[in-house]
Amino acid sequence: QVQLVESGGGLVQAGDSLRLSCAASLRTFNNYVMGWFRQAPGKEREFVAAISGSGRSRYADSVKGRFTISRDNAKNTVTLQMNSAKAEDTAVYYCAASTNMGLVTGPGLYGYWGQGTQVTVSS
């Protein structure tokens, strides 16, 4: 059974940093594109960042330069380092896995999802 488990969410002030982690029980983890998405109340789930098995990454314009995605294929983990947090970063953050070959951004292209972790940035 595939499981993606996020951790590291919480309450921070604007300008602070936060680190989210995702542990994945995926066989051949390095064959999956791993992504982070977020969903704020009343809004659709949106792409945040993605990383390929070889380490190529892609970011949403709203987080580029502030967030960094990384992965450890030996530990089956993916991390989202959030710096210079803004109030508009407040959302539930989800880890997801895709078998697609490219750094896809559509939620429908990710077949496995975690339960989400709440991030709240106070201004």
Side-chain angles (χ1 to χ4, degrees), residues 88-106:
E88 50 263 44
D89 295 325
T90 296
V92 176
Y93 282 71
Y94 297 90
C95 173
S98 173
T99 57
N100 199 285
M101 295 299 292
L103 292 170
V104 293
T105 63

Side-chain angles (χ1 to χ4, degrees), residues 2-120:
V2 174
Q3 280 191 315
L4 302 179
V5 180
E6 302 97 337
S7 61
L11 172 65
V12 297
Q13 293 188 335
D16 285 352
S17 297
L18 195 64
R19 188 178 181 90
L20 305 182
S21 295
C22 172
S25 62
L26 290 166
R27 296 179 61 184
T28 61
F29 175 74
N30 57 302
N31 287 346
Y32 289 83
V33 168
M34 299 301 296
W36 285 98
F37 291 77
R38 66 187 182 187
Q39 188 166 17
K43 294 188 177 181
E44 293 186 352
R45 192 167 299 189
E46 66 172 2
F47 170 78
V48 175
I51 187 167
S52 70
S54 62
R56 292 181 299 112
S57 59
R58 181 177 184 178
Y59 297 92
D61 288 343
S62 59
V63 306
K64 201 172 294 183
R66 298 189 298 121
F67 291 9
T68 302
I69 189 171
S70 60
R71 66 189 292 162
D72 186 333
N73 289 334
K75 296 182 179 180
N76 282 27
T77 58
V78 59
T79 299
L80 185 70
Q81 178 67 41
M82 304 169 57
N83 296 331
S84 304
K86 301 178 180 180
E88 50 263 44
D89 295 325
T90 296
V92 176
Y93 282 71
Y94 297 90
C95 173
S98 173
T99 57
N100 199 285
M101 295 299 292
L103 292 170
V104 293
T105 63
L109 296 173
Y110 287 76
Y112 301 106
W113 292 85
Q115 82 288 350
T117 185
Q118 176 70 47
V119 171
T120 303

